[in-house]
Amino acid sequence: MLRRVRGAGDALDERGNAANELAPTSESLPAGAPRHAAARRQSTMLDVMPLRQRRLSCGVALLLESHEILLCHVTGQRHWDLPKGGIDEGESPRQAALRETQEETGLVLGAESLFDIGRHSYTAKKDLHLFACLSARIDPRELHCASCFIERLSGRSRPEMDGFGWFAFERIGSLCTPKLAALLTRGLDLGALVARLDSARRQPLAA
């Protein structure tokens, strides 16, 4: 079900100064119109502006029956992370999670092997949609990251992830960022998730 392959990167969005563009000028008001009318008009226009959409990152938690999780070491940082990244236009969360796992570990997972954990609030501006997969133990030395970035000081191309490993669930808090650790250890019950995935795998196929 698993094989190795290569891939590529992420994307962000931007927003201009909309409030300044919406501010009416004195030329746009009828002669003699009170200035508070302009304030009301601007307030009304701002009220109907669409709210800025939160960015979405998608990823996969690869789990072992022995209650271990696959983590990737972030190049140039102290913390470890899940294989995850931003969703591209036209992708579903599942497709984005599969692509990011492929790009950052070299693994291709079957779409049917992913269990949808759902969308979770992650940072002030970003949500995280996670999937889980019960995996066989893969040698971390066989994994590689094909997704790269340009290092600011040296100008070198560096892989986004430079190390991989299986770690006991109890070590997540000391290895991951506080936000990811909180989600994986307090927001989710990884032990119960392993049991559920294992039970589903052992069930005989329906006639």
Side-chain angles (χ1 to χ4, degrees), residues 165-200:
W166 294 101
F167 298 96
F169 294 166
E170 292 78 11
R171 297 192 60 191
I172 290 174
S174 62
L175 295 172
C176 300
T177 63
K179 289 184 182 298
L180 183 59
L183 174 58
L184 294 177
T185 60
R186 297 197 295 273
L188 301 172
D189 186 339
L190 294 181
L193 187 56
V194 167
R196 179 172 182 175
L197 293 173
D198 185 50
S199 175

Side-chain angles (χ1 to χ4, degrees), residues 13 17 19 39 61 64 105 107 128 194 202:
D13 55 33
N17 296 320
L64 297 180
T105 68
L107 295 173
L128 178 58
V194 167
R202 294 174 187 274

Side-chain angles (χ1 to χ4, degrees), residues 10-193:
D10 254 24
L12 299 177
D13 55 33
E14 296 184 357
R15 178 183 176 186
N17 296 320
N20 291 335
E21 296 169 1
L22 291 172
T25 63
S26 57
E27 290 79 10
S28 66
L29 297 176
R35 292 192 174 273
H36 59 76
R40 282 201 305 271
R41 181 184 300 181
Q42 182 177 359
S43 176
T44 302
M45 295 175 75
L46 290 173
D47 288 342
V48 299
M49 285 177 60
L51 296 176
R52 182 178 182 180
Q53 288 188 341
R54 293 170 61 81
R55 290 187 288 127
L56 180 61
S57 184
C58 304
V60 177
L62 283 98
L63 309 172
L64 297 180
E65 289 183 61
S66 55
H67 286 203
E68 295 173 82
I69 187 170
L70 181 69
L71 295 177
C72 314
H73 184 260
V74 182
T75 303
Q77 304 294 326
R78 298 181 60 182
H79 65 272
W80 295 68
D81 204 350
L82 296 175
K84 61 180 176 61
I87 189 170
D88 286 345
E89 185 176 356
E91 281 187 319
S92 69
R94 186 180 298 266
Q95 290 169 332
L98 290 170
R99 175 181 53 76
E100 286 293 337
T101 300
Q102 170 184 317
E103 291 173 1
E104 295 186 354
T105 68
L107 295 173
V108 170
L109 307 177
E112 72 286 347
S113 70
L114 299 189
F115 177 78
D116 193 339
I117 304 175
R119 182 168 177 157
H120 305 268
S121 179
Y122 188 48
T123 68
K125 298 180 180 180
K126 182 167 66 175
D127 290 340
L128 178 58
H129 197 130
L130 279 182
F131 297 84
C133 177
L134 196 58
S135 173
R137 184 179 293 275
I138 303 159
D139 188 343
R141 293 172 298 182
E142 295 182 359
L143 303 179
H144 67 275
C145 178
S147 183
C148 298
F149 69 98
I150 302 300
E151 194 173 52
R152 182 184 302 175
L153 296 179
S154 68
R156 293 184 300 163
S157 177
R158 304 282 304 278
E160 292 182 3
M161 307 296 183
D162 62 3
F164 308 88
W166 294 101
F167 298 96
F169 294 166
E170 292 78 11
R171 297 192 60 191
I172 290 174
S174 62
L175 295 172
C176 300
T177 63
K179 289 184 182 298
L180 183 59
L183 174 58
L184 294 177
T185 60
R186 297 197 295 273
L188 301 172
D189 186 339
L190 294 181
L193 187 56

